[in-house]
């Protein structure tokens, strides 16, 4: 491909003139920061290499520790956090935990040895009420900025970024009650995790307030945060007569739909299923999944902003920023059974 054709393509993609692209690529003055960024983005999108003189010197490394990337919500989080870090001139170092792979503490040690400016932990051991929190207090004691996403502990002097899990459960129950469901179950991961505890609190409160149901223990089913886990939990709830199932993740909701189909029950004709996260591609499942959207973009921006304030010298604050989830209604929920009143 000749140089002129390449300039024309980049100019078209960036919405600027070829002369402007040329000025940016040659490091000439007279181009606004926004225009320069548009040309850089066009280069990246089209797969062209940036000229060496335009490669930004990094302000430093920031660690990002996430669970396995099988669940699409975690790569979505990682991408949003990495994008925000890059915009501030920092280089993200992604550490993904795998079952049987390096544990969180090993990654943390590795990142500290590399001299990272700070670390963002997503759904880490800080979310596990049975885990020791001194692994984090050791970091804060030595002055390393950390931010903890999706989890909470009063023992760590650091900022936490969370969705409102209680409200998420309430929104899902309210939606199913509005559709005429009364036998509503909830499928969750292990009970030791903070988001699970909070969702149960929101679920219990909503069931009591909206349906007068106070004895709901047999409508709460714990399993793993996976498709198979959702299938197992939903099978239990279906056996207990549930016509509405609230799930603690979209993957669990896909498993719940599978459990319904195994029993010959139509979703949403006979059973309604609600997920949580609004993971990428979840709108394209069969049926498209009604879910409670986790505000990933806002949470990722807040995580990076809070971390970089600390990196730049602000004192660490023990604070939890809580973000509002949003019900997204699609095809996996419908009218409940007709009840004789």
């Amino acid at each position: 491909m000749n140089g002129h054709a390449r300039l024309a393509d980049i100019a078209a993609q960036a919405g600027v003139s070829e002369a402007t692209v040329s000025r940016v690529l040659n490091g000439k003055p007279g181009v606004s920061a926004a225009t320069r960024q548009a040309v850089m983005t066009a280069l990246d999108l089209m797969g062209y290499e940036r000229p060496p003189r335009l490669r930004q010197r990094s302000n430093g490394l920031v660690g990002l520790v996430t669970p396995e990337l099988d669940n699409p919500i975690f790569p979505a989080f990682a991408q949003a956090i990495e994008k925000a870090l890059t915009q501030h001139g920092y280089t993200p170092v992604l550490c993904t935990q795998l079952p049987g792979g390096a544990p969180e503490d090993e990654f943390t040690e590795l990142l500290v040895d590399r001299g990272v400016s700070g670390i963002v932990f997503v759904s880490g051991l800080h979310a596990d009420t049975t885990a020791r929190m001194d692994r984090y207090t050791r970091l804060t004691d030595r002055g390393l900025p950390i931010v903890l996403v999706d989890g909470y502990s009063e023992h760590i002097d650091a900022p936490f970024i969370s969705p409102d899990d209680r409200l998420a459960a309430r929104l899902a129950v309210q939606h199913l009650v509005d559709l005429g469901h009364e036998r509503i179950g909830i499928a969750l991961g292990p009970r030791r995790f903070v988001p699970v505890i909070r969702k149960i609190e929101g679920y219990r409160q909503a069931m009591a307030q909206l349906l007068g149901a106070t004895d709901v223990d047999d409508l709460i089913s714990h399993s793993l945060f996976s498709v198979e886990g959702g299938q197992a939990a939903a099978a239990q709830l279906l056996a207990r007569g549930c016509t509405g199932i609230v799930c603690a993740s979209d993957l669990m909701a896909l498993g719940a739909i599978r459990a319904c189909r195994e029993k010959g029950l139509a979703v949403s004709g006979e059973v309604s299923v609600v997920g949580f996260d609004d993971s990428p591609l979840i709108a394209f499942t069969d049926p498209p999944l009604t879910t409670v959207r986790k505000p990933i973009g806002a949470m990722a921006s807040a995580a990076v902003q809070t971390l970089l304030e600390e990196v730049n010298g602000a004192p660490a604050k023990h604070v939890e920023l809580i973000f509002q989830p949003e019900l997204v209604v699609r095809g996996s929920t419908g009218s409940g059974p007709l009840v004789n009143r």
Side-chain angles (χ1 to χ4, degrees):
M1 183 187 206
N2 64 45
H4 175 72
R6 187 177 75 155
L7 279 182
D9 287 346
I10 296 167
Q13 176 72 36
V16 299
S17 69
E18 288 181 42
T20 299
V21 174
S22 179
R23 278 203 296 278
V24 171
L25 295 182
N26 290 302
K28 297 282 171 55
V31 182
S32 73
T35 301
R36 190 178 299 279
Q37 185 58 49
V39 172
M40 293 300 188
T41 303
L43 278 177
D44 295 345
L45 286 172
M46 300 177 76
Y48 289 125
E49 196 177 353
R50 291 187 181 191
R53 73 172 73 82
L54 298 182
R55 291 175 201 159
Q56 197 177 12
R57 268 188 63 78
S58 175
N59 289 330
L61 303 175
V62 170
L64 173 55
V65 182
T66 72
E68 75 287 343
L69 299 182
D70 297 352
N71 184 337
I73 200 67
F74 295 129
F77 247 129
Q79 192 168 22
I81 290 170
E82 289 184 342
K83 182 178 178 185
L85 284 169
T86 305
Q87 285 171 344
H88 287 91
Y90 285 83
T91 303
V93 181
L94 178 62
C95 298
T96 304
Q97 297 177 78
L98 296 169
E104 184 178 312
D105 293 339
E106 273 182 41
F107 279 136
T108 303
E109 208 174 300
L110 180 85
L111 291 167
V112 169
D113 287 348
R114 292 290 183 282
V116 292
S117 302
I119 305 176
V120 179
F121 294 91
V122 177
S123 295
L125 290 167
H126 63 282
D128 186 339
T129 56
T130 64
R132 291 176 53 165
M133 295 299 141
D134 58 354
R135 53 177 46 88
Y136 301 110
T137 53
R138 281 199 298 273
L139 297 175
T140 55
D141 287 350
R142 63 190 293 174
L144 183 73
I146 63 171
V147 171
L148 302 142
V149 179
D150 255 353
Y152 181 76
S153 169
E154 61 191 26
H155 304 296
I156 310 168
D157 200 18
F160 294 84
I161 309 287
S162 306
D164 190 335
D165 286 298
R166 295 180 186 91
L167 177 60
R170 184 182 180 85
L171 288 171
V173 172
Q174 178 80 64
H175 174 58
L176 293 173
V177 169
D178 290 346
L179 288 170
H181 294 273
E182 294 189 347
R183 191 82 176 153
I184 299 168
I186 186 165
L188 308 122
R191 66 181 75 236
R192 68 182 190 274
F193 292 110
V194 172
V196 171
I197 293 165
R198 290 175 169 181
K199 284 191 178 79
I200 290 174
E201 288 171 1
Y203 166 79
R204 285 185 183 279
Q205 189 182 38
M207 292 292 283
Q209 288 178 349
L210 301 173
L211 293 171
T214 52
D215 182 16
V216 293
D217 288 356
D218 66 331
L219 302 181
I220 299 171
S221 183
H222 293 276
S223 187
L224 298 176
F225 281 113
S226 63
V227 173
E228 295 76 16
Q231 186 174 355
Q236 285 187 343
L237 295 172
L238 292 171
R240 293 167 192 166
C242 291
T243 64
I245 299 176
V246 176
C247 297
S249 77
D250 289 338
L251 289 187
M252 292 190 83
L254 295 181
I257 291 171
R258 191 192 279 178
C260 293
R261 289 193 172 140
E262 273 199 345
K263 291 192 164 28
L265 298 167
V267 178
S268 61
E270 294 166 280
V271 180
S272 287
V273 175
V274 182
F276 176 72
D277 282 337
D278 198 27
S279 323
L281 303 182
I282 215 69
F284 306 105
T285 57
D286 178 25
L289 189 67
T290 294
T291 190
V292 179
R293 176 179 293 154
K294 184 186 283 190
I296 291 177
M299 289 174 67
S301 295
V304 170
Q305 197 173 338
T306 311
L307 185 80
L308 295 186
E309 280 173 11
E310 270 190 66
V311 169
N312 292 323
K317 292 196 291 280
H318 179 84
V319 62
E320 184 175 23
L321 306 177
I322 295 180
F323 290 79
Q324 298 293 293
E326 172 192 356
L327 179 73
V328 182
V329 179
R330 299 194 183 103
S332 66
T333 49
S335 299
L338 295 172
V339 178
N340 295 320
R341 296 188 182 279

